[in-house]
Amino acid sequence: MKNIKTRIGNVEFDSCVSLAPMAGITDLPLRQLIRKFSKTCLLTTEMISSESLMQNIDHTKILAYEKNEYPLAFQLSGHKPWMIAKAAKMLEQRGGANIIDINMGCPVKKVVCGGDGSALMRTPELACDIVKAVKDAVDLPVSVKFRLGYTVQEQNFMEYAKKMEEAGADFMTIHCRTRSQMYSGKADWASICDVKKEIKVPVFANGDVVSPQSAKECMEISNTDGVAVGRGVLGQPDLIYRIEHYFKTGEIIKEPDTVQKIEWLKEHINEEITLRGEKVALQFVRKFYPYYIRGVRDAAQYRAALVTEESYEKIMKLLSELQEKETERYAS
Ligand SMILES: Cc1cc2nc3c(=O)[nH]c(=O)nc-3n(C[C@H](O)[C@H](O)[C@H](O)COP(=O)(O)O)c2cc1C
């Protein structure tokens, strides 16, 4: 039995696994599906632009949360210390946020061109000013998520981590790739193995954790306090729970079969409809189909049918038919 508790400032939880923030993915419905299994992991919203929060536009969907989400980190992006601080204060006053996370890792051109995301790794003093400004503005713990560096030649994660801690960061997640790698190549867990020799606050490693075994390997190789799981949860919302169970007991819970995964897809669709309304939700969920139906017989055919279908009833019918076929396939 292993103790997997984490303490971030005054936020303590019985897990060393977090859901990594993913724009357009880690919304309320997906987080709720994950919470059905893992009651204690750290959840993170998708990135929310501090600049857009200052504008008079509707943020209800991106800011939606439920009480059972504790501990929940709201992730902010931006590069102006005063603006991120103001956005953080707004989130604190609104309720729901237990931690404010700052995006220092997004590699997307549009984001880095504006000086946000991983561009901050090239402006560490500005990144420190952001952390200090947010710490001054809110009583919540403040965390940062960054990469190994901007390019292979500029791998400044160690110096950067020290600066973040000095500035007051209570927690950090390191995605073990550089900005120039984007999402390609294998995450280099070993590169950060000395970080915990210098950093006292909890550090989670991130990148390519897709199973309980890879989570354990990642933690051992990176020498960190925990792991952040991103794309691995797609199609398997129980993954974080299975990782936690493995860490606690050493037992591997079997990966669910395709019939179960399709059931989760149905739930996910229904929750998205509740949040966004049927028309928008049915477009929005298209990106999730390949993950939930991976491994079924005739997957490509079903995927093509699902992504072009606009009727809720027909989508549900197709999914039920697929479940029946998969059940028969397992029986034969
Ligand atoms: C579709 C997508 C959206 C993402 N959005 C964010 C984001 O909003 N904020 C952030 O810090 N990282 C974002 N990331 C990066 C992930 O948090 C994570 O660092 C990366 O996917 C590597 O972890 P993984 O291999 O477990 O997916 C995103 C990644 C993907 C694939």
Side-chain angles (χ1 to χ4, degrees), residues 1-2 4 14-17 37-38 40 212 238-254:
M1 189 85 171
K2 192 176 177 296
I4 60 168
D14 190 16
S15 181
C16 60
V17 189
F37 305 98
S38 169
T40 51
D238 66 330
L239 174 62
I240 291 180
Y241 170 72
R242 287 193 281 117
I243 293 172
E244 290 169 336
H245 185 81
Y246 182 48
F247 283 167
K248 279 185 182 166
T249 66
E251 279 167 28
I252 296 279
I253 299 174
K254 223 175 109 217

Side-chain angles (χ1 to χ4, degrees), residues 20-23 25 46-47 75 103 145 175 177 183 206-209 228-232:
M22 287 184 284
I25 309 268
E46 52 195 309
M47 146 179 105
Q75 191 189 59
N103 184 324
K145 178 166 176 278
H175 178 184
R177 285 189 179 85
Y183 295 99
N206 168 240
D208 297 341
V209 170
V229 187
R231 291 163 295 177

Side-chain angles (χ1 to χ4, degrees), residues 207-224:
D208 297 341
V209 170
V210 292
S211 63
Q213 294 92 330
S214 61
K216 185 163 180 264
E217 203 185 327
C218 172
M219 251 179 97
E220 283 169 1
I221 294 177
S222 65
N223 220 356
T224 49

Side-chain angles (χ1 to χ4, degrees), residues 282 286 289 304-312 314-315 318:
L282 292 182
R286 287 179 179 173
Y289 292 143
L306 286 165
V307 296
T308 49
E309 188 50 75
E310 288 179 3
S311 144
Y312 170 77
K314 287 190 183 152
I315 288 170
L318 265 173

Side-chain angles (χ1 to χ4, degrees), residues 19-26 44-48 75-77 101-108 117 145-147 173-177 182-183 187 189 205-210 228-234 287 291:
L19 170 67
M22 287 184 284
I25 309 268
T26 57
T44 315
T45 65
E46 52 195 309
M47 146 179 105
I48 305 160
Q75 191 189 59
L76 288 170
S77 64
D101 187 52
I102 301 161
N103 184 324
M104 301 180 172
C106 182
V108 174
K145 178 166 176 278
F146 55 91
R147 292 186 173 229
T173 303
I174 309 178
H175 178 184
C176 301
R177 285 189 179 85
M182 306 294 279
Y183 295 99
W189 301 328
N206 168 240
D208 297 341
V209 170
V210 292
V229 187
R231 291 163 295 177
V233 303
L234 296 170
K287 60 185 133 188
Y291 300 100

